Amino acid sequence: MTIRELIPVLDARVLCGDDKLDQEVKTACGSDLMSDVLAFVKDKTVLITGLTNVHVMRTAEMLDIHCVVFARGKVPSEEILEEARELGIVVLATEHTTYTACGLMYVAGIRGTNERSGAHA
């Protein structure tokens, strides 16, 4: 699935990265704890969070995450969006809760990864 195909699934709007919407995504991680994201995220993952600080972009950069979705109607500051632009990260916003966004993505075929076993959830 591409980021572009995720937008209607999440009823999301693009905050930055319009030119990168055709990137493929395979898994998702929903968390406000960046330490958990660091422990469990794999390649081509979408990060869904309600945390709107620069640590989200730093974590995304470290893990080569190409798409961050801000849940619960949260919109990051222009400073964070500028950081995302510089890093080439697509930023989406949805009114859905993190839990609901994860469920919608799961139904659409995006799975999580169980790092401990290596199996897809």
Side-chain angles (χ1 to χ4, degrees), residues 13-95:
R13 66 186 195 280
V14 180
L15 301 181
C16 72
D18 296 68
D19 58 329
K20 296 172 179 53
L21 299 178
D22 293 317
Q23 294 180 77
E24 183 182 21
V25 294
K26 292 185 177 182
T27 60
C29 176
S31 183
D32 289 345
L33 294 171
M34 293 303 105
S35 59
D36 282 353
V37 176
L38 288 167
F40 291 102
V41 165
K42 290 289 196 185
D43 186 39
K44 297 185 181 179
T45 296
V46 175
L47 172 58
I48 305 106
T49 186
L51 189 64
T52 57
N53 66 39
V54 72
H55 299 296
V56 173
M57 289 306 136
R58 299 277 185 254
T59 301
E61 177 186 25
M62 287 173 52
L63 297 172
D64 202 27
I65 292 172
H66 298 288
C67 182
V68 175
V69 178
F70 288 99
R72 303 188 310 270
K74 301 257 183 125
V75 176
S77 69
E78 187 55 40
E79 174 188 3
I80 294 168
L81 290 175
E82 185 55 39
E83 181 79 13
R85 285 183 198 99
E86 289 175 17
L87 296 170
I89 298 170
V90 176
V91 177
L92 306 178
T94 183
E95 295 294 323

